Amino acid sequence: MSFLRLVISFCFISFSASAQKDYKLWLQYEKKINAKLVTNYLQDIQGIVAFGNSETLKIGLNELDLGLNNMLGNKISMKSKLEGDKNIIIGSKESLSLEIQKEIGNIDQINDEGFIIKSILIKNKKQIVITGKKDIGVLYGIYSFLRLVQSDKSIKNLNIADAPKTNIRILNHWDNLDRTVERGYAGFSLWNWQKLPDFIDQRYIDYARANASIGINGTVLTNVNANALILTPQYLEKVEALANVFRPYGIKVYLTARFSAPIEIGGLKTADPKDAEVMNWWKNKAAEIYKRIPDFGGFLVKANSEGQPGPQNYGRDHVDGANMLADAVAPFGGVIMWRAFVYSEHDANDRAKQAYAEFVPYDGKFKENVIVQVKNGAIDFQPREPFHPMFGAMPKTPLMIEFQITQEYLGFSTHLVFLPKLFQEVLASDTYQKGEGTTVAKVIDGTLNKTKLTGIAGVSNIGNDLNWTGHPFAQANWYGFGRLAWNPYLDAETIADEWLRCTFSNNENFVKPVAAMMIESREAVVNYMTPLGLHHIMDTGHHYGPGPWVSNLSRPEWNPVYYHKADKNGIGFDRSKTGTNATAQYAPEIEKTFDNLETCPENELLWFHHVSWDYKLKNGQTLWNGLALKYQEGVNQVAAMQNIWNKTHKYVDDERFKEVQMLLEIQYKEAKWWRDACLLYFQQYSEKELPLGVEKSTQSLDYFKSLKFPFAPGN
Ligand code: GCV
């Protein structure tokens, strides 16, 4: 072999080894080199015995085999019978012997997707049983067990019963049929429509596996800005192929329904939901889909929002539209997820108030297989938003929350921002719907209003990039979303700890500081982009980088100036009683807190109030100084993140270490860009000097205004 070829092949080998790590997500199953640990595990496991032979169980069995033998060094054998001692027994409860069933205890403490992992004695021999009511529960139990081993947790005397708290735990892909992804920053869509249905990309299987490992059980394959073609036989055949891949992993396929599809692909003259032909068209379409995909989940619909067609085009309302579709899928057990993301160019009202104003009067009017999908906040996936007031106001309607995992407004896949911190903040917010402690989590998991249909949706950050999500740490947002959809009461710290151990290393010297860095990263992005309740001041269209000066867009509420309202007197959007009175959409306890300048949480101050530049913050600083210092704090936080990461090289493979290092360098530069551009712009109104400790910009405001990003991704 020539020297050059040797070098090339060496580079290729080292690239692929590292790239594989990037690709393997949190399912690394690294070999455990700590001999004591390995011995401890092997004292408890020698073999795996499976009862049952469904595809789902086979997947679980293979996963245990792969995971344990990778981690413990090929010491675990698969057995066909329960013999010897120290086995892991897997199977649904009813497939197990009565003797084992008796040891498991009460299976009714879990639901159909739940699992029990228990150390038991059978004929005086130690066994670990992983069981559930159904095989999908067993599979979830297996992933949970493997997570314990991956993160060096003890597996002695196990007695775990766990079950998802929501029914629909779903990714929303904003993937177009040409494979571009709206707001996608990790390459193109995974769905290769041209090669489907005959070519099954290994990626589909790996995608399903990753989702199952965190309990995600649904996927909407297509963009909410929908294309009716997906409902034609040509595409449904391809959807069917994907559904077949995902089924054994417990994942149902859903599609977005373009409301005007009866016209566009059905040849009808109208899409009026009260028209008999239209109703019939959807009924037939549903029957056609269910014939191919008997467990099809249903439709997600964006109607009369941002130019999408909907029932209002025919003088009907959201209830008419949703219920008509609900009737079409009801005979097959399907669900309609109807989005409440609406605001109108014809409504001069505060955009933040419009969805509530439109939907709350419909409370109790939707059919029982409709769930209304509400974004976490009333504007649009900002670095920080107060929880959406609809969560406190529709007790008779199932509401599911929609989070955005893809970082449209949070630095794309370039910035490291750990989103479970944001998700947790919203889920833990108290709506006071039925007094203190009635949190958003309790609304959406159905415990508050005894809602049967429950769900959590996350706008996916997945694409065909080698590492799936663009930024290695954006994988943690996919992971964290799944974990919170399973259990909306989990805390971000636990999730960061789990993810780091499974993805990188169990070494405490790595996990502790890096987990702290992840936790801090959310507040950092708020500080350097939109501190103190500022929002939607990103540049136009693509939403990357600052654009507080933008004021020339056709719809007022698309302009950042609409949101920050900076002038000589101060800054912020007055949504209190003296302003748009959006505060009145919250329960009285919350309304009072937000409405009063003195009690409004400072991190949401400028969301609810127009505040004078000289207003005194709790720390004694004037608003102007406080704002400037927050921007600087954001920059300093990113510098601190860099310091932490730079010390991790010995725990992380070269490639991922360098990827993150480079990305953090960009993030640092861009945090300064945000600080400088925003402060120079707002300074025109405050007419005040920067306080001590805030660095001065080396560029002019005109320079920042001149920056253009014509080919920004995801737009
Ligand atoms: C899919 C925001 C985004 C749009 C997105 C929309 C929505 O406006 O910028 O890209 O459209 O939200 O959630 O429907």
Side-chain angles (χ1 to χ4, degrees):
M1 196 186 283
S2 73
F3 177 69
L4 188 66
R5 282 187 65 191
L6 192 76
V7 169
I8 290 171
S9 65
F10 175 75
C11 289
F12 179 72
I13 290 163
S14 68
F15 167 78
S16 60
S18 263
Q20 270 175 32
K21 284 188 190 280
D22 243 356
Y23 185 82
K24 277 160 65 180
L25 298 162
W26 47 88
L27 301 166
Q28 302 281 328
Y29 301 143
E30 283 284 330
K31 190 167 173 14
K32 301 226 168 282
I33 35 172
N34 179 337
K36 209 167 129 202
L37 260 178
V38 175
T39 325
N40 276 344
Y41 284 125
L42 293 178
Q43 276 172 3
D44 283 273
I45 331 164
Q46 287 175 330
I48 311 167
V49 193
F51 290 91
N53 56 9
S54 70
E55 281 304 303
T56 304
L57 205 69
K58 277 187 210 150
I59 290 166
L61 185 62
N62 287 337
E63 194 74 34
L64 264 182
D65 183 29
L66 173 84
L68 291 179
N69 282 319
N70 273 3
M71 290 189 280
L72 307 178
N74 292 321
K75 300 271 173 33
I76 318 282
S77 56
M78 301 231 238
K79 296 181 177 171
S80 55
K81 281 203 280 197
L82 240 194
E83 56 190 18
D85 51 0
K86 305 179 204 164
N87 292 304
I88 302 182
I89 301 167
I90 62 170
S92 65
K93 186 178 174 191
E94 61 187 24
S95 67
L96 304 174
S97 70
L98 287 177
E99 192 183 11
I100 304 176
Q101 288 193 24
K102 241 173 64 200
E103 294 298 322
I104 294 165
N106 179 15
I107 196 92
D108 287 328
Q109 59 185 310
I110 55 170
N111 58 33
D112 275 3
E113 293 178 293
F115 59 82
I116 290 175
I117 309 177
K118 199 164 176 191
S119 308
I120 58 173
L121 280 180
I122 297 289
K123 302 203 174 51
N124 258 334
K125 287 176 178 165
K126 275 204 228 161
Q127 315 285 343
I128 295 172
V129 62
I130 304 179
T131 189
K133 286 184 173 164
K134 303 244 154 90
D135 284 348
I136 188 62
V138 181
L139 183 62
Y140 291 146
I142 288 169
Y143 282 115
S144 175
F145 178 79
L146 284 167
R147 193 179 302 134
L148 290 179
V149 181
Q150 279 214 87
S151 40
D152 287 355
K153 300 275 165 17
S154 163
I155 56 160
K156 292 198 185 310
N157 307 321
L158 291 169
N159 190 2
I160 302 170
D162 196 6
K165 294 192 191 300
T166 55
N167 314 131
I168 304 175
R169 307 178 296 280
I170 195 165
L171 289 179
N172 289 183
H173 287 268
W174 287 356
D175 293 17
N176 299 313
L177 298 184
D178 63 3
R179 296 191 75 180
T180 56
V181 180
E182 184 157 347
R183 311 310 178 183
Y185 314 108
F188 286 95
S189 166
L190 292 185
W191 325 130
N192 191 337
W193 297 111
Q194 194 255 327
K195 287 188 178 156
L196 280 164
D198 298 322
F199 182 79
I200 299 299
D201 193 323
Q202 177 63 31
R203 274 244 156 161
Y204 306 150
I205 300 162
D206 296 342
Y207 164 86
R209 171 177 173 246
N211 279 324
S213 76
I214 47 176
I216 288 174
N217 68 354
T219 177
V220 185
L221 300 176
T222 46
N223 192 351
V224 286
N225 290 332
N227 188 323
L229 283 180
I230 194 69
L231 302 176
T232 58
Q234 186 190 4
Y235 276 94
L236 288 176
E237 195 188 6
K238 299 166 193 283
V239 174
E240 179 185 346
L242 288 173
N244 291 341
V245 174
F246 300 160
R247 185 168 299 114
Y249 292 88
I251 296 167
K252 281 188 183 179
V253 159
Y254 298 70
L255 293 173
T256 45
R258 185 158 165 89
F259 206 76
S260 49
I263 304 174
E264 286 162 27
I265 58 166
L268 301 191
K269 292 217 165 52
T270 177
D272 182 347
K274 297 265 183 184
D275 180 283
E277 271 194 286
V278 171
M279 291 189 239
N280 231 3
W281 188 87
W282 282 109
K283 282 190 174 147
N284 290 335
K285 187 49 74 184
E288 180 190 342
I289 297 175
Y290 279 93
K291 198 161 168 220
R292 289 180 178 280
I293 310 167
D295 58 349
F296 179 67
F299 294 123
L300 169 66
V301 190
K302 172 175 177 179
N304 295 120
S305 159
E306 298 186 331
Q308 291 298 301
Q312 292 172 348
N313 298 37
Y314 308 95
R316 315 292 182 191
D317 62 26
H318 288 285
V319 177
D320 299 327
N323 286 352
M324 182 271 295
L325 288 174
D327 282 341
V329 296
F332 312 98
V335 163
I336 301 301
M337 297 174 290
W338 192 268
R339 292 176 94 225
F341 177 65
V342 294
Y343 60 99
S344 159
E345 65 264 51
H346 308 299
D347 190 343
N349 241 316
D350 176 1
R351 170 174 167 184
K353 289 173 68 181
Q354 295 184 27
Y356 177 105
E358 191 158 347
F359 274 80
V360 170
Y362 300 142
D363 191 23
K365 300 204 168 126
F366 291 99
K367 296 261 160 125
E368 62 175 19
N369 58 334
V370 175
I371 184 161
V372 176
Q373 183 166 309
V374 185
K375 287 192 182 182
N376 61 269
I379 296 290
D380 198 10
F381 301 136
Q382 297 302 295
R384 170 167 282 122
E385 291 191 44
F387 72 89
H388 202 304
M390 280 177 69
F391 290 115
M394 295 187 74
K396 291 185 246 145
T397 306
L399 299 180
M400 66 192 287
I401 197 164
E402 177 178 338
F403 288 119
Q404 195 179 42
I405 314 172
T406 190
Q407 292 168 232
E408 173 181 356
Y409 294 98
L410 292 95
F412 294 3
S413 60
T414 313
H415 293 202
L416 189 164
V417 185
F418 183 54
L419 294 176
K421 193 75 185 147
L422 183 167
F423 303 160
Q424 185 197 350
E425 180 176 289
V426 179
L427 291 164
S429 297
D430 203 338
T431 69
Y432 277 85
Q433 189 186 117
K434 293 193 174 154
E436 199 178 345
T438 50
T439 57
V440 173
K442 286 190 178 160
V443 175
I444 59 115
D445 78 356
T447 49
L448 187 64
N449 298 311
K450 309 277 167 282
T451 330
K452 280 206 212 97
L453 196 55
T454 59
I456 301 197
V459 181
S460 153
N461 61 349
I462 302 164
N464 70 352
D465 270 10
L466 240 147
N467 72 357
W468 301 88
T469 55
H471 195 305
F473 274 75
Q475 296 177 356
N477 295 333
W478 175 11
Y479 178 88
F481 166 77
R483 299 287 291 128
L484 280 164
W486 178 278
N487 179 0
Y489 303 92
L490 271 181
D491 60 77
E493 285 74 9
T494 306
I495 296 170
D497 182 89
E498 277 179 15
W499 179 79
L500 283 169
R501 290 174 188 278
C502 296
T503 308
F504 287 107
S505 161
N506 273 301
N507 193 306
E508 296 299 330
N509 296 330
F510 171 80
V511 175
K512 281 226 168 86
V514 181
M517 170 187 93
M518 290 167 76
I519 295 299
E520 183 88 354
S521 65
R522 190 294 179 105
E523 208 54 41
V525 76
V526 171
N527 287 338
Y528 66 72
M529 286 189 185
T530 52
L532 300 178
L534 284 174
H535 52 286
H536 219 305
I537 56 172
M538 294 75 192
D539 203 358
T540 299
H542 50 74
H543 298 150
Y544 197 75
W549 46 81
V550 175
S551 63
N552 59 354
L553 303 178
S554 57
R555 287 175 63 165
E557 74 284 2
W558 283 350
N559 291 293
V561 293
Y562 171 91
Y563 297 97
H564 63 67
K565 301 200 187 306
D567 58 20
K568 300 266 181 245
N569 300 323
I571 181 170
F573 197 131
D574 186 0
R575 295 192 166 105
S576 73
K577 275 193 197 59
T578 55
T580 66
N581 205 19
T583 48
Q585 292 184 336
Y586 290 94
E589 294 85 342
I590 306 281
E591 175 189 356
K592 224 169 103 197
T593 314
F594 286 158
D595 207 69
N596 180 341
L597 189 58
E598 299 303 321
T599 55
C600 182
E602 279 189 349
N603 60 17
E604 281 159 359
L605 197 63
L606 306 180
W607 185 284
F608 289 113
H609 297 276
H610 190 75
V611 183
S612 112
W613 295 111
D614 291 321
Y615 175 79
K616 277 271 162 30
L617 295 169
K618 305 248 164 11
N619 63 7
Q621 297 284 355
T622 62
L623 178 75
W624 166 251
N625 283 355
L627 187 72
L629 287 163
K630 278 281 173 201
Y631 272 108
Q632 181 65 46
E633 190 182 335
V635 173
N636 298 347
Q637 282 166 305
V638 180
M641 285 160 64
Q642 287 185 290
N643 277 334
I644 291 175
W645 187 254
N646 286 339
K647 295 191 190 110
T648 62
H649 202 165
K650 63 175 173 236
Y651 309 106
V652 180
D653 55 288
D654 239 23
E655 193 168 317
R656 287 188 297 175
F657 174 76
K658 283 187 189 136
E659 274 173 7
V660 176
Q661 195 176 43
M662 287 186 286
L663 289 164
L664 281 171
E665 187 56 35
I666 304 176
Q667 187 170 356
Y668 179 63
K669 269 200 228 155
E670 295 188 348
K672 291 199 283 186
W673 168 31
W674 267 96
R675 176 197 64 197
D676 295 345
C678 292
L679 289 179
L680 282 173
Y681 172 76
F682 293 135
Q683 200 169 29
Q684 301 177 108
Y685 300 100
S686 78
E687 295 176 329
K688 292 176 190 300
E689 289 299 312
L690 290 177
L692 215 66
V694 179
E695 285 165 47
K696 275 211 174 81
S697 176
T698 53
Q699 299 284 359
S700 68
L701 180 57
D702 282 341
Y703 164 77
F704 292 118
K705 284 183 173 177
S706 75
L707 299 176
K708 295 279 170 285
F709 305 90
F711 298 110
N715 195 17

